[in-house]
Amino acid sequence: MSIIQAIEQTENNAKSISASVTQIRFYEHTLLKIDHPKCQAAISLQGAHLLYWQPVNTPTPVIWLSNKTLFKKGTAIRGGIPICWPWFANVSSPSHGFARIVDWQMSQVIETAEGVEIVFTLCNNQDTQQYWPHAFELTMTFKLGTNCEAHLSCSGDFEATSALHTYFGVDDISSVTISGLGDNYHEKLSTVNPPKVIGQMTFDQEVDRIYSAAMPETLITDSHRTLKVSHINNSDVVVWNPWVERAQAMNDLDDDSYQHFVCVETCRVTKPIQSTSTEKTHFALKVEVTASS
C-alpha cells in the first residue's frame, strides 16, 4: 500500500470539516483529506504542507509524496509543497527555515462545485521564537480543484528568502523536458551539466540549479502529460532531482523514487522578500494539467 492510499483509508479521529474535507490523525500529524468531485488531496497542519494533489482527469498524482516520508512532529516531510521560509537552503538551521516544521492554524475552508479553498495562518509564537526573533504573520492559501493554486503572503518588518518547493510527479525522469527556464542560472553542484537547449532541462544526472531569469510559465513534459506551472511574483525557479546515489543516501526516499519526481520550485532567493508590518507581500504558483494520455 502506498502512503497516499494509507492516508485516504485512515479514519483515525475523523472529523468532518465540510462535505469534501475531513480532519484526521496520521501518525504524529493532523491532516486534512480532500475528496472532492474535482480532485483528491491532503494537507498537513505541520507546515501548512500540501502533501499530494490529483485532479480526477489524471491517472496519477500531480503533486508527489514520498512513500517513505516521516510523519514525525518537527521532521520535514519529503514531497508535496514544503514552504521554505524565512530562509532558503542551509544558510541557517534548520535547513530551509522553520515554517515547514511547525504547526499552522487552519482559519478558513470554502467549498464550491469547482473545488475547495483552504487558508492557514502562522504567527510568531513560542515555537518560532527559538528559530527567529521577529514578529510576523504568514497566510497560506490553497485553491484545489481541476487546477492547484498555492499563495503565500507575509507581513512584518523583515527580509526573507523563501520557496514553494514543489515536487511534481512524473512517469520517468529520463523522459522529462522542462522548458521556460531562461538562460541565466547558478549551478549549485560541482559537476558540469550544460543544457542541450538554452532554457530547457533534461535529466541524466543529479541537478540542483537556480534559474534567475525564468519565464513566468514553466512546462514540465514527460511521456504521459504536460504540466504548466505559472509563477507569480517570484524572482527565481529552482530545479532539483537527487538522481541515483543521493536518493539512495536519503532515508525518506525509496532508492528508485528519483525516477518519479522532479522539483520545480517557485522562489524568492536572488531578490528576497522585503516585508513590512503595514503591507502584505506575496508570491504564488498555479499548476494546470494541459495534456494527458
Side-chain angles (χ1 to χ4, degrees):
M1 180 186 297
S2 72
I3 194 73
I4 291 176
Q5 290 172 325
I7 291 170
E8 292 180 347
Q9 294 181 21
T10 295
E11 297 296 335
N12 188 23
N13 295 331
K15 175 185 176 183
S16 178
I17 304 298
S18 70
S20 300
V21 181
T22 304
Q23 181 176 298
I24 62 167
R25 192 69 181 171
F26 190 74
Y27 293 95
E28 297 178 10
H29 286 217
T30 298
L31 308 185
L32 300 181
K33 290 196 300 183
I34 296 95
D35 188 5
H36 188 275
K38 298 291 186 180
C39 70
Q40 290 184 314
I43 304 170
S44 175
L45 268 62
Q46 177 177 299
H49 192 134
L50 179 64
L51 302 176
Y52 61 90
W53 165 69
Q54 182 174 349
V56 294
N57 60 351
T58 64
T60 57
V62 173
I63 304 298
W64 179 92
L65 180 66
S66 171
N67 281 328
K68 293 182 69 176
T69 196
L70 306 174
F71 283 92
K72 293 183 178 180
K73 186 174 179 61
T75 299
I77 296 166
R78 179 66 63 189
I81 306 182
I83 301 170
C84 303
W85 189 94
W87 54 81
F88 179 76
N90 58 355
V91 297
S92 188
S93 182
S95 180
H96 285 319
F98 60 82
R100 64 180 183 157
I101 61 171
V102 298
D103 285 350
W104 294 48
Q105 297 295 316
M106 180 186 64
S107 60
Q108 189 175 46
V109 176
I110 301 172
E111 182 169 339
T112 69
E114 297 306 310
V116 296
E117 177 177 326
I118 306 179
V119 181
F120 299 88
T121 57
L122 177 67
C123 299
N124 53 290
N125 56 48
Q126 186 175 358
D127 289 338
T128 69
Q129 198 73 17
Q130 62 181 310
Y131 302 112
W132 205 54
H134 297 281
F136 66 88
E137 181 178 351
L138 299 182
T139 303
M140 189 70 202
T141 302
F142 293 104
K143 298 179 181 180
L144 305 171
T146 303
N147 300 325
C148 170
E149 297 183 36
H151 298 256
L152 178 65
S153 65
C154 52
S155 62
D157 293 314
F158 55 79
E159 178 179 288
T161 55
S162 185
L164 301 175
H165 191 312
T166 311
Y167 289 69
F168 290 97
V170 297
D171 181 46
D172 182 352
I173 190 65
S174 63
S175 69
V176 169
T177 300
I178 300 177
S179 57
L181 295 171
D183 59 359
N184 189 14
Y185 64 85
H186 169 64
E187 183 66 75
K188 297 181 69 177
L189 302 175
S190 59
T191 56
V192 176
N193 183 23
K196 296 178 177 64
V197 178
I198 297 297
Q200 290 190 5
M201 168 84 65
T202 55
F203 298 84
D204 59 9
Q205 62 186 64
E206 182 181 358
V207 170
D208 193 356
R209 187 174 290 175
I210 301 174
Y211 285 88
S212 57
M215 302 295 289
E217 295 179 351
T218 301
L219 295 181
I220 305 170
T221 302
D222 71 2
S223 60
H224 75 296
R225 64 186 172 200
T226 297
L227 308 176
K228 182 172 76 171
V229 185
S230 301
H231 309 280
I232 302 161
N233 289 341
N234 67 313
S235 60
D236 316 275
V237 173
V238 168
V239 178
W240 177 71
N241 182 279
W243 212 248
V244 181
E245 291 185 2
R246 190 169 179 194
Q248 291 174 347
M250 301 171 77
N251 67 353
D252 55 2
L253 282 177
D254 288 319
D255 288 353
D256 64 349
S257 61
Y258 74 93
Q259 299 175 9
H260 304 300
F261 76 84
V262 64
C263 288
V264 178
E265 308 167 31
T266 307
C267 301
R268 291 289 298 269
V269 177
T270 59
K271 295 180 181 178
I273 297 167
Q274 304 289 337
S275 183
T276 71
S277 57
T278 58
E279 184 176 354
K280 287 191 173 183
T281 59
H282 85 284
F283 71 109
L285 64 86
K286 180 178 180 180
V287 185
E288 303 168 76
V289 182
T290 63
S292 182
S293 60

PDB file of all heavy atoms in Angstrom, residues 150 181 226 256:
ATOM      1  N   ALA A 150      -1.337  27.823  -5.022  1.00  0.00           N
ATOM      2  CA  ALA A 150      -0.753  27.956  -3.687  1.00  0.00           C
ATOM      3  C   ALA A 150      -0.219  29.375  -3.554  1.00  0.00           C
ATOM      4  O   ALA A 150       0.651  29.787  -4.331  1.00  0.00           O
ATOM      5  CB  ALA A 150       0.371  26.944  -3.480  1.00  0.00           C
ATOM      6  N   LEU A 181      12.861  28.047 -18.789  1.00  0.00           N
ATOM      7  CA  LEU A 181      13.748  28.315 -17.664  1.00  0.00           C
ATOM      8  C   LEU A 181      14.682  29.505 -17.894  1.00  0.00           C
ATOM      9  O   LEU A 181      15.292  29.993 -16.938  1.00  0.00           O
ATOM     10  CB  LEU A 181      14.588  27.067 -17.363  1.00  0.00           C
ATOM     11  CG  LEU A 181      13.788  25.851 -16.882  1.00  0.00           C
ATOM     12  CD1 LEU A 181      14.689  24.618 -16.819  1.00  0.00           C
ATOM     13  CD2 LEU A 181      13.153  26.122 -15.520  1.00  0.00           C
ATOM     14  N   THR A 226       1.618  16.937 -19.806  1.00  0.00           N
ATOM     15  CA  THR A 226       2.341  18.196 -19.690  1.00  0.00           C
ATOM     16  C   THR A 226       1.707  19.020 -18.588  1.00  0.00           C
ATOM     17  O   THR A 226       0.481  19.159 -18.529  1.00  0.00           O
ATOM     18  CB  THR A 226       2.314  18.981 -21.015  1.00  0.00           C
ATOM     19  OG1 THR A 226       2.988  18.223 -22.023  1.00  0.00           O
ATOM     20  CG2 THR A 226       2.982  20.332 -20.870  1.00  0.00           C
ATOM     21  N   ASP A 256      14.660   4.064  -5.884  1.00  0.00           N
ATOM     22  CA  ASP A 256      14.348   4.382  -7.271  1.00  0.00           C
ATOM     23  C   ASP A 256      13.363   5.539  -7.413  1.00  0.00           C
ATOM     24  O   ASP A 256      12.918   5.849  -8.520  1.00  0.00           O
ATOM     25  CB  ASP A 256      13.787   3.155  -7.991  1.00  0.00           C
ATOM     26  CG  ASP A 256      12.454   2.686  -7.408  1.00  0.00           C
ATOM     27  OD1 ASP A 256      12.064   3.177  -6.319  1.00  0.00           O
ATOM     28  OD2 ASP A 256      11.803   1.826  -8.039  1.00  0.00           O
TER      29      ASP A 256
END
